[in-house]
Amino acid sequence: MFAKLQCAVLDCVDVLELSRFYQALLGGVVNRPDPRWSLGEDWATLHTDGGFVLAFQRVEDYQPPRWPDPARPQQFHLDLGVEDLDRAQESVLGLGGTLLDEGGDRRGWRVFADPAGHPFCLVRD
């Protein structure tokens, strides 16, 4: 091993809006001072309670993925563990997320998009 994961970076138009969306999902602190990153209107961070850091980078001509359209693929996605899929879905939708694929009652995960269009899954713990 020669590298250590520092964070995952999501492109978007509004870095504060997206960081606050994920803060509502995961907890943590938006834009906690950290010498690794310079914060501003083009960059924000979310230090989660579990220690993982998500970063958000402003892209002027951002084009969101269109899951499952291969012409604009998701490129990567987050899997977020939850105890109750129905309650978590209600919370995500209330925060401005979009349901992309509910699946069936027998499946243990659902696909959503954040307000910037990035797909993510809620997975039953």
Side-chain angles (χ1 to χ4, degrees), residues 42-120:
D42 293 333
W43 186 268
T45 59
L46 173 63
H47 288 73
T48 67
D49 296 337
F52 185 72
V53 178
L54 283 174
F56 308 91
Q57 178 175 271
R58 184 176 179 276
V59 173
E60 185 70 34
D61 295 322
Y62 173 71
Q63 296 293 311
R66 280 193 241 161
W67 184 88
D69 182 356
R72 293 221 327 244
Q74 64 181 334
Q75 299 176 8
F76 90 100
H77 70 273
L78 302 171
D79 283 350
L80 308 175
V82 298
E83 290 182 21
D84 184 313
L85 281 172
D86 293 328
R87 280 193 358 215
Q89 175 174 316
E90 184 178 315
S91 296
V92 166
L93 297 177
L95 292 167
T98 304
L99 179 64
L100 298 178
D101 182 2
E102 188 169 22
D105 290 336
R106 301 177 79 176
R107 192 170 80 187
W109 51 275
R110 296 177 188 163
V111 183
F112 297 84
D114 67 26
H118 301 105
F120 68 94

